Amino acid sequence: MAASSPPPHPVGRPDRYHLLVVDDEPTVRELLRTALSYAGFDVDAAATGQEALDLAAARTPDLVLLDVMLPDMDGFEVIRRLRAQPRSVLSGRGGDVPVLFVTARDEREDRLHGLRLGGDDYVTKPFDLEELIARIHAVLRRTLGEQPTRITVGDLALEPDSHHVTRAGRTVRLSPTEFRLLHFLVANAERTMTKAQILDSVWEYDFGGDQSIVDTYISYLRRKVDRVEPKLIHTVRSVGYVIREPRP
């Protein structure tokens, strides 16, 4: 999977959990950031322990995916410092941010050490992405009372985990790319997204950069999603597209 810059963060969407990925390997870091963004999470990424602590202090994550082997301090030291952060630093949450270790350190003593320090789970590399995402949801359910994710705009409902979409109660069948595009628009409902933002977040750098592909897939979505009234997908001339609830 190609590396990419993070997608724009949705504003005011409580159904998107904020994850912090900490890994010094660029390939792994970008793979996780991209895959977790597609899975419906809002993702920041750090390459060092200090960068992770700074990001956590600036914006409290709902969960941290933490490598053990980092260039400036190991993951065990990161979780010690994270747990020691005063509540005023971690946006009122204190040191209870859940941590899932994702590391090549697979010795039993390392696992036990990580869990004793307050880690909520420990996954060794190489990992299966689907299993990792399932473990993330399990930790969120245990620690934050996560509910099944379902995003709605008017009578349109989208379930990121199952890739199930309905409009007015009827199932809408979408291709994987159509689903990613719709998910991106719905997660940013009421916000006009430029073609460049859509291209970067839905196609990343796997595509050549021709923004006309956005127009093509928007037309595909309209045929499937906006077959009934009222229309939800709107063109903002010379800017991009927005999905929004019907207005009086």
Side-chain angles (χ1 to χ4, degrees):
M1 191 175 294
S4 74
S5 59
H9 293 170
V11 174
R13 303 294 302 183
D15 41 22
R16 282 175 69 92
Y17 287 95
H18 173 218
L19 307 186
L20 173 59
V21 172
V22 188
D23 199 300
D24 68 328
E25 296 181 53
T27 302
V28 175
R29 188 169 63 250
E30 296 305 321
L31 168 66
L32 286 172
R33 174 156 57 181
T34 302
L36 294 173
S37 295
Y38 281 170
F41 296 103
D42 183 10
V43 185
D44 282 335
T48 68
Q50 187 58 55
E51 184 182 1
L53 292 170
D54 291 343
L55 285 172
R59 183 183 181 209
T60 308
D62 293 305
L63 182 143
V64 178
L65 285 86
L66 180 61
D67 191 9
V68 172
M69 295 179 286
L70 298 171
D72 53 344
M73 66 183 83
D74 64 28
F76 300 138
E77 179 62 22
V78 172
I79 193 174
R80 284 192 195 96
R81 297 189 185 188
L82 188 65
R83 293 286 186 252
Q85 292 278 26
R87 292 183 180 274
S88 60
V89 172
L90 284 181
S91 305
R93 283 270 306 277
D96 61 350
V97 176
V99 173
L100 194 162
F101 283 101
V102 182
T103 178
R105 295 270 290 269
D106 59 356
E107 296 295 328
R108 179 174 179 273
E109 284 305 313
D110 289 327
R111 290 172 178 266
L112 292 175
H113 189 45
L115 295 174
R116 289 190 190 109
L117 288 171
D120 296 271
D121 203 346
Y122 197 105
V123 175
T124 57
K125 300 176 183 176
F127 52 81
D128 179 86
L129 274 172
E130 289 188 8
E131 179 185 351
L132 179 63
I133 291 170
R135 285 175 178 255
I136 290 170
H137 282 295
V139 171
L140 289 172
R141 279 194 296 272
R142 291 198 306 266
T143 58
L144 301 180
E146 179 199 32
Q147 299 299 316
T149 305
R150 188 171 186 265
I151 313 173
T152 61
V153 177
D155 60 359
L156 173 69
L158 181 148
E159 298 174 11
D161 291 345
S162 63
H163 282 209
H164 186 243
V165 177
T166 60
R167 177 79 201 269
R170 302 185 68 174
T171 297
V172 179
R173 301 191 182 281
L174 301 177
S175 71
T177 301
E178 290 167 347
F179 181 86
R180 289 198 300 270
L181 175 56
L182 182 63
H183 187 194
F184 180 72
L185 292 174
V186 169
N188 290 281
E190 306 292 336
R191 298 177 64 205
T192 299
M193 310 309 298
T194 67
K195 292 180 184 179
Q197 288 174 318
I198 295 171
L199 191 68
D200 184 51
S201 296
V202 177
W203 280 271
E204 307 156 46
Y205 298 121
D206 292 335
F207 190 75
D210 183 357
Q211 294 185 2
S212 66
I213 193 70
V214 177
D215 301 321
T216 300
Y217 270 83
I218 286 288
S219 69
Y220 294 162
L221 273 187
R222 280 176 164 152
R223 291 174 199 166
K224 296 181 178 183
V225 172
D226 274 351
R227 294 176 60 186
V228 299
E229 294 290 344
K231 306 303 183 188
L232 299 176
I233 302 172
H234 303 273
T235 302
V236 180
R237 192 176 299 277
S238 302
V239 181
Y241 296 97
V242 60
I243 192 166
R244 60 173 178 250
E245 295 193 32
R247 293 176 178 173

